[in-house]
Structure formats: structure tokens, C-alpha cells
């Protein structure tokens, strides 16, 4: 077992989505661990200068012809896809991984796959999981619930109006720190026994949107309001923001899912896998408070 662990630690890991919240945290933790790592990005300039044993390659999951060179020589892949084309992006990556002889893919999926299989976001992620499984490459599925980073979308209205407008009522979620998702991903990528596993990941606290807003207000030293708006008002705001209609429908379904109580269900996977408790929303805020000021 120890020999297998040592061998994994010498193998190249490819990280997609390296300029995003979770992918960036995975990249950072792999670099800190001294792991040979390669970052796949559409715009290498966005990644900036990084230390450690790292290579940066340009590629785009929506353009399969750019992927073979990026995947060549990689032993394991952390895969992040986003948007309505998520299944095709995952399929393109899985096909490239198969051609390159990649041994293991760790896919960032969603807890909605099991908690609300009929909503659009769940369908996108379920199809992405299916594409990865169909490749024949060993896989691990990470299924986090609501991200703490989702609250960063509130920053503009917090700065402009001192308020957050959401159609969530008193419903609670368990926001998870992206560093905890990343730590589970790194463990799955660098230690044996995670192939074929599906991990649902949540933060430790059930918090309403109003409670999260209050915590943000305390952190920045400014009283903030939470305004529970109607679904129609939320739709109108998203239309004004020029979000695609399909994405608007998916978000409204997600809001309804949260209001139904599905976002409050806990998981102990982070603690079991990492041997420590998951980080709290307050701990997440310590690192991100400047975004709201």
C-alpha cells in the first residue's frame, strides 16, 4: 500500500479549471505538496506565476483538437466543467484521457445528482458523469452541495445597496469551502482506494441566506439586509443581467430545490476522508472578506 502511494506521488496530475475557485485550490494544494502537476487553461496569462513543479498548457475542453497534447503523459486528471454544455465538455476530456492512457479521473460533479435528479443542473451533471464512466477510465465522483463561493455573486448588491436579494426564504444550505472540496480531490488523486467512489460533500453548518448575509455584514463591519424576493423578481433580475434562458431556468429550479429543504441535508464525508471537520462559513469569510468590502 505504501509503495502504491509513493508511486502515485510521483505521477503527473492534470488539473482543468485551474483559474476557477475549486480548480485553483486543487492546483495550489498539489503544488504545496510537491506533486508534479500540469494546469490546462484557455488563457495561460490568467494563471500568473506559480512556484513548484508545475507546467501550464493551453487548451479548451470545447475544442477536442486542443486536448491530446495537454493530456499526453498525464496519469491522473482533476476534471472541472461548467455551463449547459457540461456533458460534452466532460465527454471531450474523458475521450482525450482515454487516448492518453490516463489511469484515473476525479470529476467535480454535484449533490443534485442524488438529491434532485429531475432538475436541469442534476441532468447536466448526471450526463457528465455518464460520459466519464463510459470512457472506461477509472473514476471518482465528487458531489458537493452549495459552495460558499456562491455568495461572491452577492458582492455587487452588497456594495451598491447594502442588501442581498434572493428567493430563498428561510431555507438553509450547508455552504462548503472550496479548499475542502480541493483537499478531498487531492486525496483521491494521490492515494489509493478511491476509484469507483462517489463522495457527497457539504459544509458543517446549516445556514439560511439571511444568516450568511449577517455573517458577511459582521465581517465587513456594515449592517446588511437580506430581502426575500419572489421567483418572478429573481427571474427579472437575471434577464436584466442577460443570463441565457436555459441557465435562468436551471437557477430557478436550484432555488426551488433549496426552499424544499434539500440543501440542508448533511454529509460527513469531508471529516471521514480528511480526518478533520469541514471548515465553517466564518473560516471561509476570513479569506474572502475583501471581496465584499
Amino acid at each position: 500500500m505504501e509503495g502504491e502511494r509513493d508511486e502515485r506521488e510521483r505521477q503527473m496530475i492534470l488539473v482543468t479549471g485551474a483559474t476557477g475557485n475549486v480548480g485553483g485550490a486543487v492546483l495550489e494544494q498539489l503544488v504545496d505538496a510537491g506533486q508534479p502537476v500540469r494546469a490546462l487553461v484557455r488563457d495561460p496569462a490568467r494563471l500568473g506565476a506559480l512556484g513548484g513543479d508545475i507546467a501550464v498548457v493551453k487548451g479548451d475542453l470545447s475544442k477536442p483538437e486542443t486536448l491530446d497534447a495537454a493530456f499526453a503523459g498525464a496519469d491522473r486528471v482533476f476534471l472541472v466543467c461548467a455551463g449547459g454544455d457540461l456533458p460534452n465538455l466532460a465527454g471531450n476530456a474523458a475521450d482525450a484521457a482515454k487516448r492518453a492512457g490516463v489511469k484515473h479521473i476525479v470529476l467535480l460533479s454535484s449533490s443534485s445528482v442524488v438529491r434532485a435528479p429531475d432538475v436541469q443542473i442534476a441532468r447536466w451533471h448526471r450526463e457528465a458523469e455518464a460520459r466519464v464512466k463510459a470512457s472506461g477510465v477509472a473514476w471518482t465522483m465528487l458531489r458537493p452541495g452549495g459552495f460558499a463561493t456562491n455568495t461572491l455573486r452577492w458582492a455587487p448588491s452588497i456594495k451598491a445597496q447594502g442588501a442581498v436579494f434572493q428567493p430563498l426564504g428561510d431555507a438553509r444550505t450547508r455552504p462548503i469551502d472550496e479548499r475542502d472540496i480541493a483537499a478531498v480531490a487531492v486525496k483521491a488523486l494521490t492515494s489509493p482506494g478511491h476509484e469507483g467512489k462517489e463522495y457527497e460533500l457539504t459544509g458543517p453548518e446549516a445556514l439560511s441566506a439571511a444568516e450568511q448575509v449577517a455573517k458577511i455584514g459582521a465581517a465587513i463591519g456594515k449592517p446588511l439586509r437580506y430581502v426575500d424576493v419572489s421567483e418572478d423578481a429573481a427571474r427579472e433580475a437575471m434577464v436584466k443581467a442577460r443570463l441565457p434562458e436555459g441557465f435562468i431556468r436551471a437557477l430557478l429550479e436550484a432555488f426551488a430545490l433549496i426552499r424544499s429543504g434539500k440543501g440542508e441535508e448533511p454529509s460527513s464525508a469531508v471529516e471521514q476522508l480528511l480526518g478533520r471537520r469541514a471548515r465553517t462559513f466564518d473560516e471561509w469569510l476570513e479569506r474572502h472578506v475583501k471581496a465584499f468590502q
Side-chain angles (χ1 to χ4, degrees), residues 172-197:
R172 287 178 166 80
T173 61
R174 293 180 176 269
I176 185 168
D177 192 310
E178 69 274 13
R179 292 173 295 168
D180 286 340
I181 303 171
V184 172
V186 168
K187 186 174 185 68
L189 289 162
T190 61
S191 62
H194 302 282
E195 293 85 350
K197 299 293 181 64

Side-chain angles (χ1 to χ4, degrees), residues 17-27 147 149-150 152 178-179 182 284 288:
T19 59
N21 292 312
V22 178
V26 169
L27 188 66
F147 293 7
T149 53
N150 289 346
L152 293 174
E178 69 274 13
R179 292 173 295 168
W284 177 85
H288 295 275

Side-chain angles (χ1 to χ4, degrees), residues 33-111:
Q35 174 72 48
V37 62
R38 181 186 300 159
L40 172 64
V41 293
R42 287 175 292 185
D43 180 5
R46 287 187 59 198
L47 207 52
L50 292 171
D53 188 0
I54 182 173
V56 179
V57 294
K58 185 176 181 179
D60 188 331
L61 296 183
S62 69
K63 300 176 180 178
E65 68 275 10
T66 70
L67 300 181
D68 284 348
F71 280 74
D75 295 282
R76 307 182 191 281
V77 173
F78 178 67
L79 180 56
V80 181
C81 309
D85 201 33
L86 190 155
N88 287 330
L89 300 181
N92 291 342
D95 291 344
K98 178 70 172 181
R99 291 193 298 270
V102 168
K103 299 181 180 69
H104 186 194
I105 297 172
V106 176
L107 176 67
L108 182 63
S109 184
S110 167
S111 64

Side-chain angles (χ1 to χ4, degrees), residues 163-288:
V164 170
F165 306 86
Q166 293 282 283
L168 296 173
D170 296 326
R172 287 178 166 80
T173 61
R174 293 180 176 269
I176 185 168
D177 192 310
E178 69 274 13
R179 292 173 295 168
D180 286 340
I181 303 171
V184 172
V186 168
K187 186 174 185 68
L189 289 162
T190 61
S191 62
H194 302 282
E195 293 85 350
K197 299 293 181 64
E198 300 164 343
Y199 297 128
E200 189 172 352
L201 309 173
T202 67
E205 311 165 282
L207 298 171
S208 68
E211 289 167 334
Q212 292 173 61
V213 170
K215 286 178 176 291
I216 294 169
I220 66 175
K222 175 182 177 181
L224 301 176
R225 295 180 297 125
Y226 169 70
V227 181
D228 182 33
V229 299
S230 68
E231 185 174 297
D232 287 342
R235 167 180 279 281
E236 182 179 352
M238 288 187 279
V239 169
K240 286 182 178 178
R242 298 184 178 180
L243 296 183
E245 176 59 28
F247 192 59
I248 291 174
R249 290 198 302 269
L251 284 176
L252 291 175
E253 283 185 331
F255 291 146
L257 173 66
I258 293 170
R259 290 197 303 271
S260 74
K262 294 290 186 180
E264 192 172 349
E265 298 172 11
S267 166
S268 60
V270 170
E271 184 172 356
Q272 291 174 352
L273 290 165
L274 302 181
R276 60 165 175 79
R277 63 169 177 78
R279 292 178 175 91
T280 65
F281 186 73
D282 287 325
E283 289 171 310
W284 177 85
L285 264 177
E286 289 175 6
R287 284 172 57 96
H288 295 275

